[in-house]
């Protein structure tokens, strides 16, 4: 007898009721005192049904343009909403006509520095789940206040951190101005009150930080020749020396026993390095596009001397300004910096309180360190980062960062 035929027909299981999609409102803003100049962003996530403030985010960005700061505010708000509920629908409200029209698809994005930011923002939620609305600046004062607080903190040499009494101060300000119709005045009062109410030190225990152990990939055939090898070139694999280096760093990390996850750039040399280490640690490798190396355009595969001979003017401009691109439409260091900052924010949120190995490249790792130190872009030319070296940065709940290790290579001896 056919066993399958003898079995009674199975009753289809009752389908659980689908959870209704949650709705959020994201208000975001960014500002630059100089354009470009010292800049910061602010973002707030609100419950669409109740108007309750769920998340506030702000950050001092160093010297960038106003448009970059506005896009960074948008990204922070979208990632915060996704962290609350990745299935949510989001309505974005901003007073930046440029960002709203570009993200709505009505205006073309021509500036090369804006394209990766807009592309990143479009990927946070699936298409159709985010809508955009332009609002007057007077209606965006919450996000504007946060952006200004971040810039004020940066001017003091500090990182922005939310006051424990923020919600109470906002509520008090709204109540005090009920019927007056002056939200801007209320925000000014809140800012003044927080300057008095906020303690000078954070809480004594902020919990375990998100710790990024930054591993540069092992050698490729191009490494000892000191050739430009970015994300737009031949994508070389590890050499025999590079694979041996990866095995040595894997053994060292296994002895320490602190790595809880492994994330790699999508390029072959980083995925291969990460695979060797992850196999030793018994972990899987997650791939993160944001960790890829800078695209060096027409300079890919060339030595510094060869670039000097062929493209002297372009090289001089590149050495003088983080906004200059390599010949042929590569990425500037400014664009790379924006990408790495967004990737950092995303990974800090995803791995809060954990120690994660990020397997990446020279420019991204130096940029992580530069941003953590608040160092100027030219500091990228003043760091030596060896193949298969380890660096580390810890990110705390108050927004602070601490560089714990740089260019460690003792495991290769």
């Amino acid at each position: 007898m056919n066993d399958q035929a003898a079995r009674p027909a199975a009753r289809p299981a009752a389908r659980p009721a689908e959870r209704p999609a949650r709705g959020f409102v994201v208000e975001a803003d960014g500002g630059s005192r100089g354009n470009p100049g010292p800049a910061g962003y602010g973002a707030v996530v609100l419950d669409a049904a109740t108007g309750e403030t769920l998340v506030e985010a702000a950050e001092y960005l160093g010297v960038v343009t106003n448009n970059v700061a506005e896009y960074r505010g948008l990204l922070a708000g979208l990632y915060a909403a996704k962290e609350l509920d990745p299935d949510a629908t989001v309505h974005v409200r901003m007073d930046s006509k440029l960002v709203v029209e570009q993200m709505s698809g009505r205006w073309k994005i021509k500036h090369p520095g804006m394209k990766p930011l807009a592309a990143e923002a479009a990927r946070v939620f699936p298409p159709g789940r985010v809508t955009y609305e332009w609002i007057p600046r007077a209606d965006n004062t919450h996000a504007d206040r946060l952006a200004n607080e971040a810039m004020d903190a940066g001017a003091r040499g500090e990182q922005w951190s939310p006051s424990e009494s923020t919600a109470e101060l906002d509520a008090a300000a709204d109540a005090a101005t009920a019927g007056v119709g002056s939200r801007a005045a209320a925000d000014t009062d809140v800012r003044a009150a927080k300057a008095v109410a906020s303690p000078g030190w954070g809480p004594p225990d902020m919990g375990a930080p998100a710790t990024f152990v930054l591993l540069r990939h092992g050698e490729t055939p191009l490494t000892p020749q000191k050739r430009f090898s970015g994300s737009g070139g031949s994508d070389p694999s590890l050499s025999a020396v590079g694979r041996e280096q990866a095995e040595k760093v894997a053994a060292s990390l296994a002895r320490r026993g602190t790595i809880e996850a492994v994330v790699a750039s999508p390029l072959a040399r980083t995925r291969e390095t990460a695979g060797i280490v992850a196999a030793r640690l018994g972990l899987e490798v997650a791939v993160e596009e944001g960790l890829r190396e800078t695209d060096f355009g027409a300079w890919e595969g060339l030595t510094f001397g060869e670039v000097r001979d062929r493209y002297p003017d372009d090289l001089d401009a590149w050495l003088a300004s983080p906004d200059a691109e390599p010949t042929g439409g590569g990425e500037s260091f400014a664009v790379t910096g924006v990408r790495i900052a967004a990737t950092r924010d995303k990974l800090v949120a995803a791995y809060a309180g954990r120690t994660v190995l990020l397997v990446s490249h020279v420019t991204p790792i130096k940029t992580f360190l530069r941003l953590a130190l608040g160092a100027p872009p030219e500091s990228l030319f003043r760091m030596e980062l060896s193949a298969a070296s380890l660096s580390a940065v810890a990110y705390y709940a108050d927004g602070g960062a601490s560089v714990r290790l740089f260019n460690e290579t003792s495991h290769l001896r």
Side-chain angles (χ1 to χ4, degrees):
M1 176 180 287
N2 186 304
D3 289 341
Q4 182 66 31
R7 295 174 185 153
R11 176 180 296 176
R15 296 180 62 185
E18 292 187 2
R19 178 173 61 87
R22 196 171 179 189
F24 298 130
V25 173
V26 168
E27 295 178 351
D29 197 12
S32 177
R33 296 169 178 171
N35 200 29
Y41 69 72
V44 57
V45 182
L46 309 170
D47 188 297
T50 66
E52 176 190 1
T53 298
L54 303 175
V55 178
E56 287 183 329
E59 183 182 8
Y60 174 65
L61 300 173
V63 176
V64 301
T65 66
N66 189 70
N67 290 338
V68 166
E70 289 170 335
Y71 262 109
R72 287 291 308 278
L74 170 62
L75 282 165
L78 291 175
Y79 279 125
K82 186 175 183 180
E83 182 72 13
L84 290 171
D85 188 344
D87 297 321
T89 58
V90 179
H91 184 62
V92 175
R93 293 159 43 94
M94 297 181 68
D95 61 66
S96 170
K97 189 75 169 176
L98 176 77
V99 174
V100 168
E101 294 299 316
Q102 287 181 342
M103 292 305 301
S104 298
R106 293 185 289 269
W107 289 5
K108 290 184 178 180
I109 305 172
K110 298 179 181 179
H111 194 287
M114 299 299 104
K115 290 181 179 179
L117 295 169
E120 177 77 11
R123 291 194 297 266
V124 178
F125 283 93
R129 295 249 296 278
V130 182
T131 55
Y132 289 86
E133 175 190 4
W134 177 84
I135 57 175
R137 179 169 295 276
D139 293 342
N140 199 31
T141 51
H142 192 161
D144 176 71
R145 167 169 61 80
L146 294 173
N148 277 285
E149 287 177 1
M151 286 185 277
D152 291 342
R156 298 190 301 268
E158 302 171 359
Q159 291 288 333
W160 177 88
S161 60
S163 168
E164 294 179 349
S165 57
T166 299
E168 290 82 356
L169 289 168
D170 283 341
D174 288 343
T177 57
V180 177
S182 178
R183 180 70 183 273
D187 280 320
T188 301
D189 293 341
V190 170
R191 194 154 54 241
K194 286 180 68 179
V196 176
S198 298
W201 296 90
D205 183 6
M206 293 178 290
T211 301
F212 293 169
V213 178
L214 304 164
L215 169 61
R216 184 189 170 194
H217 61 80
E219 282 191 11
T220 75
L222 300 182
T223 306
Q225 300 175 28
K226 298 188 181 298
R227 295 184 179 274
F228 283 93
S229 183
S231 58
S234 60
D235 194 15
S237 298
L238 297 180
S239 64
V241 171
R243 287 189 290 275
E244 181 181 357
Q245 290 172 331
E247 293 286 358
K248 289 181 177 179
V249 75
S252 176
L253 292 173
R255 285 193 297 271
R256 299 183 191 186
T258 57
I259 302 299
E260 299 172 82
V262 178
V263 183
S265 150
L267 299 182
R269 53 198 182 272
T270 40
R271 287 189 288 106
E272 189 175 357
T273 302
I276 291 170
V277 175
R280 182 68 176 265
L281 301 180
L283 299 170
E284 298 294 326
V285 177
V287 174
E288 170 53 54
E289 171 68 23
L291 293 176
R292 63 179 173 80
E293 178 61 286
T294 298
D295 183 344
F296 293 112
W299 303 352
E300 295 279 359
L302 302 180
T303 66
F304 188 90
E306 289 168 341
V307 173
R308 169 66 73 191
D309 290 341
R310 299 183 194 185
Y311 311 105
D313 292 341
D314 289 350
L315 182 62
D316 286 343
W318 183 73
L319 293 172
S321 171
D323 293 313
E325 297 176 351
T327 308
E331 284 182 295
S332 69
F333 282 153
V335 170
T336 300
V338 169
R339 167 164 56 85
I340 294 303
T343 302
R344 173 204 60 197
D345 294 348
K346 174 183 176 182
L347 295 176
V348 166
Y351 294 99
R354 302 171 67 189
T355 298
V356 55
L357 181 72
L358 305 186
V359 187
S360 190
H361 310 262
V362 170
T363 311
I365 292 175
K366 287 184 178 181
T367 302
F368 273 106
L369 295 164
R370 179 183 76 77
L371 294 173
L373 293 169
E378 56 265 29
S379 65
L380 295 175
F381 296 113
R382 298 187 175 100
M383 300 183 207
E384 176 68 27
L385 201 69
S386 305
S389 64
L390 291 169
S391 303
V393 183
Y395 298 91
Y396 292 88
D398 67 346
S402 174
V403 174
R404 296 186 170 183
L405 189 69
F406 173 64
N407 199 36
E408 169 61 41
T409 57
S410 61
H411 49 275
L412 300 179
R413 297 169 191 158

